[in-house]
Amino acid sequence: MKKLIAVVTLLLAFSINANAQDKSELTSTDKGKKEAAMLTEFLGLNDTQNADFARLFTQKHTVLEDKTLSAERKQELTRVMDAKIRASLDGNQIEKLEKNPELLKKLIN
């Protein structure tokens, strides 16, 4: 009986630990919202623009989750993300974003 209780306790302990690890990973939606918030904070975007960028970045992370994605496809996604970001911003915002290449690289890759 003691062994059975010990086995059940260990089984529950390992299953709880595995569930805790699963919850710590960010979903593509969370990653997209986080990147949109960084861009909004840096450029001072409005709520509508923030929501639009959140959807765009969520879509990016959803595509990047595909393990069969080729290097060419990833490169094309980077080019498309850059074009969409630039199309959504005005000249002053683009200029300000280009002065922060780390942020721009994080957003398009």
Side-chain angles (χ1 to χ4, degrees):
M1 186 68 173
K2 290 180 184 179
K3 289 182 182 180
L4 180 62
I5 293 173
V7 169
V8 170
T9 304
L10 287 175
L11 180 66
L12 289 175
F14 285 116
S15 64
I16 290 171
N17 189 22
N19 286 338
Q21 290 176 355
D22 290 342
K23 291 178 184 176
S24 66
E25 288 186 28
L26 293 176
T27 64
S28 57
T29 304
D30 295 335
K31 291 176 186 176
K33 287 180 180 179
K34 182 179 176 185
E35 287 182 359
M38 289 182 345
L39 183 63
T40 298
E41 181 181 331
F42 184 70
L43 296 178
L45 303 177
N46 62 36
D47 291 339
T48 304
Q49 289 172 312
N50 183 36
D52 292 341
F53 279 114
R55 283 192 300 275
L56 178 65
F57 296 138
T58 298
Q59 181 184 13
K60 174 186 79 169
H61 286 289
T62 301
V63 170
L64 288 174
E65 287 176 354
D66 183 7
K67 302 297 181 202
T68 62
L69 202 61
S70 67
E72 295 84 21
R73 182 92 165 125
K74 286 180 183 179
Q75 189 175 21
E76 180 65 16
L77 178 64
T78 299
R79 188 191 65 75
V80 169
M81 289 301 299
D82 186 44
K84 286 185 177 186
I85 290 170
R86 290 178 188 277
S88 302
L89 300 175
D90 65 28
N92 294 333
Q93 292 170 327
I94 293 170
E95 188 176 311
K96 186 175 179 182
L97 185 58
E98 286 175 343
K99 290 180 182 177
N100 189 345
E102 296 87 24
L103 178 60
L104 181 60
K105 184 177 179 181
K106 181 168 180 55
L107 297 175
I108 64 174
N109 289 327

